[in-house]
């Protein structure tokens, strides 16, 4: 079974010039499969699409924009120089800054590889902003923080996460610095997917960087496709790149260890089964417009997670773990089709998955549980509302319950299942 699962995952990363015709998986194989199979280019292409780093395009009259904002200069994209906020910054929700842009012809000092702000970001990551997966793994992330001294990819990912977390939970906006680190990390991730590391430390560093990038994505204004892509990439690294899970710094992230840790923190809180029926009614309504096998497969994973509450909170959380990685078992072509903006049934199912995290949280975690990504809730709500708003008018009614439940989540205590 595991060998077949590996073969399917491996084939999902075949050359982009070939088209996969295999149907999506009908069951979730174990994410702890091991092997040294190489990840192929189409998956790296999917990851690379998230980094936003494009070659600077020329303007008429001169070779590049010399009066663009600082964010566009850092990202190396063309700035349309609109003031007070250029279009790229408006789209990404960044603070557009022209104030310190150097005049044409001025000589700028070479940038330092380390600045005092980076030290602040590192402190934030080390003490507060590290990801919540693996569960109860504070010491694991302290080891990763030490590993980042030898891994440029992990360093950028950790600093980017620390910077954005500080922006969302503080009174200073470091979004541009966070984006700069994120772009640098994703560029290196792309390079390492083309030539995966074979030694344990570098493989662990790559996996840690992807988890950090996934956590950072949940603090970005519009990141549904990015989030799905990065979590899928992480699953592939875990399955095929990390040489030995038993000696990995992330050994507590195997299915068995995750389930054991989960059983120690799950709480059997009182269940509102009328609310369960409402959630399932919304999912089954979307099922009516699902025509593809991959959408039906994903729909069933959503149903299983919520239906698990009828058995126990533990069963619901275990089923939610299967739901969270369900998209990782699609072929590359099926995955790209699944996250396409015009795949409206899939977009509705992903929205259900995102809100199921908070829906189950109220039944699976104690009120006393402390969360470090409190800004994440508003971002997820924004993702879901935007996804429903962008649906065609005839499809929008299928997201009506989701839209109303966003209002409920907005007023809740924000308990969720500790996913990045």
């Amino acid at each position: 079974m595991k060998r077949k699962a590996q073969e399917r995952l491996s084939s999902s990363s075949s050359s982009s010039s070939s088209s996969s015709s295999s149907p999506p998986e009908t069951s979730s194989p174990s994410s702890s499969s091991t092997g040294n199979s190489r990840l192929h280019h189409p998956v790296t292409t999917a990851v690379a699409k998230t980094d936003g780093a494009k070659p600077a395009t020329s303007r008429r009259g001169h070779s590049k924009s010399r009066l663009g904002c600082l964010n566009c200069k850092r990202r190396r994209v063309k700035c349309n120089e609109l003031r007070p906020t250029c279009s790229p910054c408006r789209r990404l929700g960044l603070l557009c800054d022209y104030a310190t842009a150097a005049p044409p012809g001025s000589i700028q000092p070479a940038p330092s590889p380390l600045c005092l702000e980076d030290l602040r970001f590192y402190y934030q990551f080390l003490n507060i902003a590290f990801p919540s997966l693996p569960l109860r793994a504070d010491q694991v992330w302290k080891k990763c923080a030490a590993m980042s001294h030898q891994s440029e990819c992990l360093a950028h990912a950790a600093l980017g996460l620390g910077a954005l977390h500080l922006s969302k939970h503080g009174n200073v906006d470091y979004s541009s610095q966070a984006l700069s680190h994120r772009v640098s990390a994703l560029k290196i991730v792309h390079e390492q997917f083309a030539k995966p590391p074979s030694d344990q430390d570098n493989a662990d560093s790559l996996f840690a960087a992807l988890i950090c990038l996934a956590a950072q994505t949940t603090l970005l204004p519009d990141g549904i496709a990015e989030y799905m892509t990065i979590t899928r990439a992480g699953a592939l690294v875990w399955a095929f790149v990390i040489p030995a899970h038993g000696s990995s710094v992330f050994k507590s992230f195997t299915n068995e260890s995750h389930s054991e840790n989960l059983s120690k923190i799950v709480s059997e809180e009182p269940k509102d089964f009328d609310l369960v029926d409402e959630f399932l009614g919304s999912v089954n309504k979307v099922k009516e417009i699902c025509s593809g096998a991959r959408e039906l497969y994903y729909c069933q994973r959503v149903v299983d997670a919520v239906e698990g509450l009828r058995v126990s909170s533990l069963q619901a959380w275990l089923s939610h773990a299967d739901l969270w990685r369900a998209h990782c078992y699609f072929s590359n072509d099926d995955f790209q089709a699944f996250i396409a903006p015009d795949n409206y049934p899939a977009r509705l199912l992903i929205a259900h998955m995102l809100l199921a995290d908070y829906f189950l949280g109220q039944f699976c975690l104690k009120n006393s549980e402390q969360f470090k990504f409190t800004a994440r809730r508003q971002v997820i709500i924004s993702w879901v509302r935007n996804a429903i708003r962008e649906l065609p008018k005839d499809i929008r009614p299928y997201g009506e319950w989701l839209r109303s439940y966003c209002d409920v989540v907005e007023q809740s205590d924000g308990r969720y299942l500790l996913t990045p």
Side-chain angles (χ1 to χ4, degrees):
M1 179 70 178
K2 290 184 178 180
R3 179 172 296 176
K4 291 182 178 179
Q6 290 181 354
E7 291 172 354
R8 288 170 182 152
L9 278 170
S10 182
S11 65
S12 76
S13 304
S14 60
S15 171
S16 58
S17 62
S18 63
S19 173
S20 171
S21 59
S22 59
E25 301 292 338
T26 57
S27 62
S28 286
S30 171
S31 66
S32 61
S33 303
T34 61
N36 289 322
S37 305
R38 296 171 67 85
L39 300 184
H40 299 290
H41 193 64
V43 176
T44 70
T45 300
V47 175
K49 286 179 181 178
T50 69
D51 69 5
K54 300 178 182 177
T57 51
S58 60
R59 299 177 60 202
R60 184 176 300 174
H62 51 76
S63 60
K64 61 181 179 179
S65 172
R66 300 185 183 277
L67 300 177
C69 75
L70 295 182
N71 291 333
C72 290
K73 287 180 179 295
R74 288 191 185 99
R75 296 174 58 225
R76 297 180 182 177
V77 300
K78 184 174 181 178
C79 180
N80 59 11
E81 301 175 15
L82 292 178
R83 295 175 184 252
T85 304
C86 71
S87 296
C89 285
R90 183 180 295 108
R91 179 174 58 83
L92 294 170
L94 299 176
L95 181 64
C96 192
D97 184 9
Y98 292 92
T100 56
S106 64
I107 299 176
Q108 295 296 304
S112 168
L114 183 67
C115 66
L116 292 178
E117 284 181 345
D118 286 336
L119 296 178
R120 188 174 184 184
F121 304 155
Y122 183 78
Y123 179 86
Q124 185 81 359
F125 171 80
L126 186 63
N127 290 279
I128 302 174
F130 56 85
S132 54
L133 288 179
L135 297 172
R136 296 293 193 266
D138 299 31
Q139 294 304 313
V140 169
W141 286 106
K142 290 185 187 303
K143 291 180 182 178
C144 289
M147 291 163 53
S148 69
H149 300 174
Q150 304 297 325
S151 169
E152 186 179 359
C153 180
L154 177 54
H156 281 300
L159 291 173
L161 176 55
L164 194 55
H165 188 279
L166 196 58
S167 296
K168 296 293 185 180
H169 297 89
N171 54 9
V172 180
D173 187 0
Y174 295 108
S175 299
S176 60
Q177 294 91 327
L179 182 60
S180 177
H181 282 300
R182 181 178 180 83
V183 168
S184 297
L186 284 166
K187 179 180 179 181
I188 300 172
V189 165
H190 172 64
E191 293 169 353
Q192 292 193 355
F193 262 72
K195 188 177 180 181
S198 56
D199 61 290
Q200 188 73 64
D201 288 346
N202 285 324
D204 279 346
S205 294
L206 176 59
F207 183 71
L210 286 164
I211 295 296
C212 289
L213 287 166
Q216 187 189 17
T217 304
T218 63
L219 298 176
L220 293 175
D222 183 14
I224 289 182
E226 280 193 66
Y227 182 74
M228 300 291 283
T229 302
I230 292 174
T231 52
R232 170 180 162 85
L236 293 175
V237 169
W238 179 251
F240 294 126
V241 176
I242 293 184
H245 294 149
S247 58
S248 169
V249 69
F250 289 103
K251 58 187 176 183
S252 62
F253 205 47
T254 61
N255 283 356
E256 296 76 15
S257 296
H258 179 76
S259 298
E260 181 181 350
N261 289 332
L262 192 155
S263 64
K264 296 176 182 177
I265 64 174
V266 69
S267 176
E268 294 295 335
E269 298 297 301
K271 310 294 191 298
D272 181 348
F273 290 108
D274 288 340
L275 194 56
V276 170
D277 290 338
E278 288 181 17
F279 194 106
L280 291 172
S282 179
V283 178
N284 287 321
K285 190 175 180 181
V286 175
K287 186 177 181 179
E288 297 172 2
I289 58 174
C290 291
S291 57
R294 59 180 172 260
E295 287 77 24
L296 291 171
Y297 166 77
Y298 197 87
C299 182
Q300 188 59 49
R301 301 288 78 74
V302 178
V303 170
D304 290 346
V306 179
E307 281 281 13
L309 287 172
R310 301 190 192 279
V311 179
S312 67
S313 295
L314 178 60
Q315 180 58 49
W317 201 338
L318 289 169
S319 298
H320 180 268
D322 289 336
L323 166 62
W324 187 69
R325 56 179 174 253
H327 62 290
C328 302
Y329 305 115
F330 293 148
S331 71
N332 193 57
D333 287 346
D334 277 343
F335 172 70
Q336 293 299 330
F338 186 72
I339 65 171
D342 59 351
N343 188 340
Y344 305 121
R347 193 50 58 103
L348 283 164
L349 292 173
I350 294 171
H352 278 86
M353 179 272 291
L354 294 169
L355 289 186
D357 208 352
Y358 288 89
F359 182 84
L360 296 176
Q362 63 186 308
F363 304 126
C364 297
L365 285 168
K366 297 177 182 178
N367 287 328
S368 59
E369 190 69 39
Q370 298 295 314
F371 299 100
K372 299 176 180 179
F373 281 78
T374 54
R376 174 189 188 272
R377 173 179 53 173
Q378 197 57 51
V379 171
I380 297 299
I381 290 172
S382 175
W383 286 4
V384 173
R385 284 174 172 164
N386 288 340
I388 295 170
R389 192 179 299 116
E390 292 168 2
L391 294 171
K393 288 185 178 180
D394 59 326
I395 303 294
R396 208 170 295 164
Y398 292 93
E400 186 60 29
W401 186 86
L402 288 171
R403 187 194 60 75
S404 64
Y405 191 65
C406 281
D407 299 336
V408 175
V409 174
E410 200 165 33
Q411 301 302 318
S412 73
D413 59 11
R415 280 178 288 168
Y416 64 96
L417 300 183
L418 304 174
T419 50

